[in-house]
Amino acid sequence: MREERAEAGGWDFSALEVTGRIPLTNRGEGLLELTLEPLGEDYWMRPGETFIVTSYGDYGPGHPFEVQYWPDSVSVWCTSWFGTVSDDEGNQLSHGHQRPDGAYPRYGLSDNP
């Protein structure tokens, strides 16, 4: 995986210390909303897709992630307060990735009114 790859005009996180990675796979039959906290960024996973959440920087004592599950969504808190989401090939994704038309993020950031 290559987290240092950034989209054109995006940030390059390669100089930051990676403090944890967690792969998440949608084993369900429908879309699964992944919310990255603390900003509430939404990413939508198709059945069978795997996304990698990467935490950067110091997270103090404990663990780099807290994960919460619901029937159609999962929230990942990066306890370092900074994280990214990439596909299983290492391509960094933007929030709203694969968001279905008319859907609103459950929490946090939104491009919708």
Side-chain angles (χ1 to χ4, degrees):
M1 285 185 290
R2 297 192 42 180
E3 273 70 33
E4 68 269 10
R5 259 191 278 181
E7 298 175 16
W11 292 93
D12 181 353
F13 301 108
S14 61
L16 299 175
E17 178 186 2
V18 172
T19 54
R21 288 190 180 93
I22 185 171
L24 300 166
T25 301
N26 180 357
R27 298 288 183 202
E29 296 179 9
L31 280 176
L32 178 70
E33 180 184 11
L34 165 62
T35 304
L36 181 62
E37 299 292 0
L39 297 178
E41 298 170 325
D42 66 314
Y43 304 83
W44 296 77
M45 302 170 64
R46 295 181 179 129
E49 276 189 311
T50 297
F51 290 170
I52 309 297
V53 178
T54 302
S55 177
Y56 298 89
D58 184 22
Y59 60 88
H63 46 278
F65 303 106
E66 292 181 14
V67 180
Q68 299 172 341
Y69 298 92
W70 291 270
D72 58 351
S73 71
V74 60
S75 292
V76 176
W77 280 84
C78 291
T79 57
S80 66
W81 292 86
F82 179 72
T84 59
V85 176
S86 60
D87 63 18
D88 61 355
E89 294 178 1
N91 301 304
Q92 187 178 324
L93 305 175
S94 297
H95 83 89
H97 179 74
Q98 300 181 150
R99 183 188 302 146
D101 290 338
Y104 293 90
R106 188 176 309 275
Y107 309 105
L109 297 176
S110 173
D111 295 330
N112 297 314

